[in-house]
Amino acid sequence: MSRIRVHQHVNPLARHYLFISPPLDLKKIFANPNLPVHLDIGSARGRFLLSMAELDKETNFIGLEIRRVLVEEANRIAKERNLTNLHYEFTNVLVSLGSLLQNFPENILRVVTIHFPDPWFKKRHAKRRMVTNETASILASHLAKGGRIFLQTDVEFLAEEMFEKFRRIGNLKEISITKNPFPVKTEREKAVEAKGKPIYRAMFEKT
């Protein structure tokens, strides 16, 4: 696979990213739009979903990413591999998540994953963080009954902040986990583990 150069951090509150994406049309982006959906938020280069889509042809996978060049590259690779159950969308989750999901059929969103989101360490940049009370609430409202949300990060304060936002939602229950429950690891996850650093993980299920 080619390796393109791209900015590691993108300010989601910059003016040119404050656009509202139209609702996702599953009939247009997937060969079989009736399959359950796995949504990956902040999919970066998309390698996690690429491997997942190759392993599980009975699930449709959607990656949301704010860096357009990464989305274009990931969709190109998915097309080359004829993965009709995989799609990446250039979008800004902070402002467009509700719009993107508004036409999803009930109970089709079965899995949500958020891997190592940018922590935006400085206090004045905290409003740029991906997981907010609003995004957590939107995900919980669209999640199918029995559906699950998985989060992981190597930044302890961010883990506590993110997990607490989902813990406050009444129809979600936390499931005790210590390992990544998926058969695929992200590039960042492999790098952190190779350094022997801790990874903080949480899983929530809709009751």
Side-chain angles (χ1 to χ4, degrees), residues 2-27:
S2 62
R3 189 75 173 185
I4 57 174
R5 299 185 67 179
V6 67
H7 292 295
Q8 184 175 0
H9 305 294
V10 171
N11 176 9
L13 300 181
R15 181 176 298 178
H16 52 283
Y17 288 117
L18 296 179
F19 61 90
I20 304 297
S21 299
L24 287 164
D25 187 342
L26 301 183
K27 293 180 180 179

mmCIF file of all heavy atoms in Angstrom, residues 2-27:
data_model
loop_
_atom_site.group_PDB
_atom_site.id
_atom_site.type_symbol
_atom_site.label_atom_id
_atom_site.label_comp_id
_atom_site.label_asym_id
_atom_site.label_seq_id
_atom_site.Cartn_x
_atom_site.Cartn_y
_atom_site.Cartn_z
ATOM 1 N N SER A 2 0.433 2.281 -0.712
ATOM 2 C CA SER A 2 1.174 3.538 -0.723
ATOM 3 C C SER A 2 1.017 4.240 0.613
ATOM 4 O O SER A 2 0.018 4.064 1.308
ATOM 5 C CB SER A 2 0.652 4.432 -1.850
ATOM 6 O OG SER A 2 -0.707 4.742 -1.646
ATOM 7 N N ARG A 3 2.004 5.053 0.931
ATOM 8 C CA ARG A 3 1.976 5.786 2.204
ATOM 9 C C ARG A 3 1.986 7.276 1.888
ATOM 10 O O ARG A 3 2.985 7.811 1.411
ATOM 11 C CB ARG A 3 3.197 5.419 3.044
ATOM 12 C CG ARG A 3 3.147 5.974 4.474
ATOM 13 C CD ARG A 3 2.173 5.188 5.318
ATOM 14 N NE ARG A 3 2.234 5.594 6.717
ATOM 15 C CZ ARG A 3 1.550 5.008 7.681
ATOM 16 N NH1 ARG A 3 0.744 4.019 7.409
ATOM 17 N NH2 ARG A 3 1.651 5.413 8.943
ATOM 18 N N ILE A 4 0.881 7.956 2.113
ATOM 19 C CA ILE A 4 0.816 9.375 1.805
ATOM 20 C C ILE A 4 1.110 10.183 3.057
ATOM 21 O O ILE A 4 0.864 9.746 4.178
ATOM 22 C CB ILE A 4 -0.569 9.749 1.245
ATOM 23 C CG1 ILE A 4 -1.675 9.367 2.244
ATOM 24 C CG2 ILE A 4 -0.811 9.082 -0.084
ATOM 25 C CD1 ILE A 4 -3.047 9.826 1.831
ATOM 26 N N ARG A 5 1.643 11.378 2.837
ATOM 27 C CA ARG A 5 1.955 12.263 3.961
ATOM 28 C C ARG A 5 0.745 13.142 4.232
ATOM 29 O O ARG A 5 0.100 13.646 3.319
ATOM 30 C CB ARG A 5 3.176 13.113 3.631
ATOM 31 C CG ARG A 5 4.433 12.291 3.367
ATOM 32 C CD ARG A 5 5.633 13.171 3.161
ATOM 33 N NE ARG A 5 5.981 13.875 4.401
ATOM 34 C CZ ARG A 5 7.011 14.712 4.504
ATOM 35 N NH1 ARG A 5 7.776 14.959 3.439
ATOM 36 N NH2 ARG A 5 7.273 15.319 5.637
ATOM 37 N N VAL A 6 0.445 13.339 5.525
ATOM 38 C CA VAL A 6 -0.739 14.106 5.884
ATOM 39 C C VAL A 6 -0.539 14.703 7.265
ATOM 40 O O VAL A 6 0.222 14.170 8.084
ATOM 41 C CB VAL A 6 -1.997 13.185 5.877
ATOM 42 C CG1 VAL A 6 -1.919 12.159 6.992
ATOM 43 C CG2 VAL A 6 -3.272 14.004 5.970
ATOM 44 N N HIS A 7 -1.188 15.822 7.520
ATOM 45 C CA HIS A 7 -1.110 16.431 8.846
ATOM 46 C C HIS A 7 -1.702 15.491 9.891
ATOM 47 O O HIS A 7 -2.787 14.931 9.697
ATOM 48 C CB HIS A 7 -1.874 17.756 8.864
ATOM 49 C CG HIS A 7 -1.230 18.824 8.028
ATOM 50 N ND1 HIS A 7 0.018 19.344 8.329
ATOM 51 C CD2 HIS A 7 -1.651 19.463 6.915
ATOM 52 C CE1 HIS A 7 0.333 20.261 7.430
ATOM 53 N NE2 HIS A 7 -0.656 20.352 6.556
ATOM 54 N N GLN A 8 -1.014 15.330 11.001
ATOM 55 C CA GLN A 8 -1.487 14.419 12.044
ATOM 56 C C GLN A 8 -2.688 14.996 12.783
ATOM 57 O O GLN A 8 -3.601 14.273 13.158
ATOM 58 C CB GLN A 8 -0.350 14.119 13.034
ATOM 59 C CG GLN A 8 -0.754 13.095 14.101
ATOM 60 C CD GLN A 8 0.413 12.732 14.993
ATOM 61 O OE1 GLN A 8 1.525 13.223 14.828
ATOM 62 N NE2 GLN A 8 0.174 11.864 15.961
ATOM 63 N N HIS A 9 -2.692 16.312 13.005
ATOM 64 C CA HIS A 9 -3.769 16.938 13.761
ATOM 65 C C HIS A 9 -4.538 17.926 12.884
ATOM 66 O O HIS A 9 -3.945 18.702 12.140
ATOM 67 C CB HIS A 9 -3.214 17.678 14.978
ATOM 68 C CG HIS A 9 -2.377 16.803 15.871
ATOM 69 N ND1 HIS A 9 -2.908 15.743 16.573
ATOM 70 C CD2 HIS A 9 -1.052 16.831 16.166
ATOM 71 C CE1 HIS A 9 -1.942 15.154 17.270
ATOM 72 N NE2 HIS A 9 -0.818 15.795 17.032
ATOM 73 N N VAL A 10 -5.846 17.876 12.998
ATOM 74 C CA VAL A 10 -6.714 18.791 12.259
ATOM 75 C C VAL A 10 -7.671 19.435 13.257
ATOM 76 O O VAL A 10 -8.325 18.738 14.039
ATOM 77 C CB VAL A 10 -7.523 18.044 11.175
ATOM 78 C CG1 VAL A 10 -8.573 18.958 10.573
ATOM 79 C CG2 VAL A 10 -6.598 17.516 10.092
ATOM 80 N N ASN A 11 -7.745 20.756 13.224
ATOM 81 C CA ASN A 11 -8.650 21.462 14.120
ATOM 82 C C ASN A 11 -10.078 21.362 13.596
ATOM 83 O O ASN A 11 -10.413 21.997 12.587
ATOM 84 C CB ASN A 11 -8.223 22.926 14.225
ATOM 85 C CG ASN A 11 -9.187 23.756 15.070
ATOM 86 O OD1 ASN A 11 -10.086 23.219 15.719
ATOM 87 N ND2 ASN A 11 -9.003 25.054 15.058
ATOM 88 N N PRO A 12 -10.951 20.591 14.246
ATOM 89 C CA PRO A 12 -12.316 20.411 13.737
ATOM 90 C C PRO A 12 -13.178 21.660 13.847
ATOM 91 O O PRO A 12 -14.274 21.706 13.290
ATOM 92 C CB PRO A 12 -12.859 19.291 14.625
ATOM 93 C CG PRO A 12 -12.101 19.427 15.903
ATOM 94 C CD PRO A 12 -10.724 19.850 15.501
ATOM 95 N N LEU A 13 -12.675 22.674 14.556
ATOM 96 C CA LEU A 13 -13.441 23.915 14.707
ATOM 97 C C LEU A 13 -12.961 25.007 13.749
ATOM 98 O O LEU A 13 -13.467 26.132 13.792
ATOM 99 C CB LEU A 13 -13.374 24.400 16.158
ATOM 100 C CG LEU A 13 -13.939 23.413 17.193
ATOM 101 C CD1 LEU A 13 -13.852 24.011 18.593
ATOM 102 C CD2 LEU A 13 -15.374 23.031 16.865
ATOM 103 N N ALA A 14 -11.992 24.676 12.887
ATOM 104 C CA ALA A 14 -11.569 25.617 11.858
ATOM 105 C C ALA A 14 -12.748 25.856 10.908
ATOM 106 O O ALA A 14 -13.540 24.950 10.635
ATOM 107 C CB ALA A 14 -10.370 25.069 11.094
ATOM 108 N N ARG A 15 -12.844 27.068 10.394
ATOM 109 C CA ARG A 15 -14.031 27.471 9.616
ATOM 110 C C ARG A 15 -14.318 26.526 8.451
ATOM 111 O O ARG A 15 -15.478 26.176 8.199
ATOM 112 C CB ARG A 15 -13.833 28.899 9.090
ATOM 113 C CG ARG A 15 -15.018 29.431 8.297
ATOM 114 C CD ARG A 15 -14.800 30.871 7.898
ATOM 115 N NE ARG A 15 -14.676 31.744 9.061
ATOM 116 C CZ ARG A 15 -14.431 33.052 8.974
ATOM 117 N NH1 ARG A 15 -14.264 33.613 7.795
ATOM 118 N NH2 ARG A 15 -14.336 33.777 10.085
ATOM 119 N N HIS A 16 -13.286 26.096 7.723
ATOM 120 C CA HIS A 16 -13.535 25.281 6.534
ATOM 121 C C HIS A 16 -13.944 23.848 6.862
ATOM 122 O O HIS A 16 -14.262 23.081 5.948
ATOM 123 C CB HIS A 16 -12.316 25.279 5.596
ATOM 124 C CG HIS A 16 -11.023 24.910 6.250
ATOM 125 N ND1 HIS A 16 -10.321 25.790 7.038
ATOM 126 C CD2 HIS A 16 -10.321 23.764 6.249
ATOM 127 C CE1 HIS A 16 -9.224 25.206 7.479
ATOM 128 N NE2 HIS A 16 -9.198 23.965 7.022
ATOM 129 N N TYR A 17 -13.938 23.479 8.145
ATOM 130 C CA TYR A 17 -14.435 22.155 8.529
ATOM 131 C C TYR A 17 -15.829 22.219 9.161
ATOM 132 O O TYR A 17 -16.399 21.184 9.520
ATOM 133 C CB TYR A 17 -13.474 21.481 9.515
ATOM 134 C CG TYR A 17 -12.185 21.029 8.883
ATOM 135 C CD1 TYR A 17 -10.967 21.578 9.292
ATOM 136 C CD2 TYR A 17 -12.168 20.067 7.882
ATOM 137 C CE1 TYR A 17 -9.768 21.176 8.711
ATOM 138 C CE2 TYR A 17 -10.984 19.660 7.291
ATOM 139 C CZ TYR A 17 -9.793 20.217 7.715
ATOM 140 O OH TYR A 17 -8.609 19.810 7.131
ATOM 141 N N LEU A 18 -16.376 23.410 9.299
ATOM 142 C CA LEU A 18 -17.681 23.549 9.943
ATOM 143 C C LEU A 18 -18.812 23.434 8.919
ATOM 144 O O LEU A 18 -19.648 24.321 8.773
ATOM 145 C CB LEU A 18 -17.756 24.887 10.691
ATOM 146 C CG LEU A 18 -16.771 25.036 11.851
ATOM 147 C CD1 LEU A 18 -16.917 26.399 12.502
ATOM 148 C CD2 LEU A 18 -16.978 23.929 12.880
ATOM 149 N N PHE A 19 -18.814 22.318 8.213
ATOM 150 C CA PHE A 19 -19.865 22.033 7.239
ATOM 151 C C PHE A 19 -20.715 20.864 7.744
ATOM 152 O O PHE A 19 -20.220 19.996 8.473
ATOM 153 C CB PHE A 19 -19.259 21.692 5.875
ATOM 154 C CG PHE A 19 -18.364 20.478 5.888
ATOM 155 C CD1 PHE A 19 -18.875 19.212 5.657
ATOM 156 C CD2 PHE A 19 -16.995 20.604 6.151
ATOM 157 C CE1 PHE A 19 -18.058 18.090 5.681
ATOM 158 C CE2 PHE A 19 -16.162 19.482 6.174
ATOM 159 C CZ PHE A 19 -16.704 18.226 5.941
ATOM 160 N N ILE A 20 -21.971 20.857 7.369
ATOM 161 C CA ILE A 20 -22.861 19.773 7.769
ATOM 162 C C ILE A 20 -22.931 18.746 6.649
ATOM 163 O O ILE A 20 -23.370 19.050 5.529
ATOM 164 C CB ILE A 20 -24.281 20.292 8.081
ATOM 165 C CG1 ILE A 20 -24.229 21.383 9.148
ATOM 166 C CG2 ILE A 20 -25.179 19.138 8.530
ATOM 167 C CD1 ILE A 20 -23.704 20.932 10.486
ATOM 168 N N SER A 21 -22.504 17.541 6.929
ATOM 169 C CA SER A 21 -22.573 16.471 5.931
ATOM 170 C C SER A 21 -24.005 15.992 5.764
ATOM 171 O O SER A 21 -24.770 15.942 6.735
ATOM 172 C CB SER A 21 -21.698 15.294 6.364
ATOM 173 O OG SER A 21 -20.349 15.686 6.487
ATOM 174 N N PRO A 22 -24.401 15.620 4.555
ATOM 175 C CA PRO A 22 -25.746 15.091 4.348
ATOM 176 C C PRO A 22 -25.881 13.700 4.957
ATOM 177 O O PRO A 22 -24.876 13.028 5.226
ATOM 178 C CB PRO A 22 -25.867 15.037 2.823
ATOM 179 C CG PRO A 22 -24.449 14.891 2.340
ATOM 180 C CD PRO A 22 -23.618 15.685 3.302
ATOM 181 N N PRO A 23 -27.106 13.236 5.182
ATOM 182 C CA PRO A 23 -27.314 11.900 5.749
ATOM 183 C C PRO A 23 -26.688 10.816 4.873
ATOM 184 O O PRO A 23 -26.722 10.909 3.638
ATOM 185 C CB PRO A 23 -28.840 11.761 5.785
ATOM 186 C CG PRO A 23 -29.339 13.168 5.823
ATOM 187 C CD PRO A 23 -28.370 13.967 5.001
ATOM 188 N N LEU A 24 -26.130 9.817 5.504
ATOM 189 C CA LEU A 24 -25.580 8.679 4.771
ATOM 190 C C LEU A 24 -26.731 7.860 4.183
ATOM 191 O O LEU A 24 -27.706 7.560 4.874
ATOM 192 C CB LEU A 24 -24.735 7.806 5.696
ATOM 193 C CG LEU A 24 -23.379 8.381 6.105
ATOM 194 C CD1 LEU A 24 -22.815 7.622 7.304
ATOM 195 C CD2 LEU A 24 -22.397 8.332 4.939
ATOM 196 N N ASP A 25 -26.592 7.505 2.919
ATOM 197 C CA ASP A 25 -27.599 6.684 2.237
ATOM 198 C C ASP A 25 -27.010 5.292 2.054
ATOM 199 O O ASP A 25 -26.196 5.061 1.142
ATOM 200 C CB ASP A 25 -27.951 7.317 0.892
ATOM 201 C CG ASP A 25 -29.109 6.610 0.201
ATOM 202 O OD1 ASP A 25 -29.416 5.449 0.578
ATOM 203 O OD2 ASP A 25 -29.714 7.208 -0.706
ATOM 204 N N LEU A 26 -27.409 4.365 2.901
ATOM 205 C CA LEU A 26 -26.831 3.020 2.877
ATOM 206 C C LEU A 26 -27.086 2.311 1.550
ATOM 207 O O LEU A 26 -26.281 1.487 1.115
ATOM 208 C CB LEU A 26 -27.404 2.188 4.028
ATOM 209 C CG LEU A 26 -27.164 2.750 5.438
ATOM 210 C CD1 LEU A 26 -27.714 1.795 6.493
ATOM 211 C CD2 LEU A 26 -25.682 3.009 5.690
ATOM 212 N N LYS A 27 -28.191 2.653 0.888
ATOM 213 C CA LYS A 27 -28.520 2.010 -0.395
ATOM 214 C C LYS A 27 -27.539 2.418 -1.492
ATOM 215 O O LYS A 27 -27.329 1.674 -2.448
ATOM 216 C CB LYS A 27 -29.942 2.368 -0.811
ATOM 217 C CG LYS A 27 -31.018 1.780 0.099
ATOM 218 C CD LYS A 27 -32.410 2.173 -0.365
ATOM 219 C CE LYS A 27 -33.466 1.587 0.561
ATOM 220 N NZ LYS A 27 -34.849 1.983 0.150
#
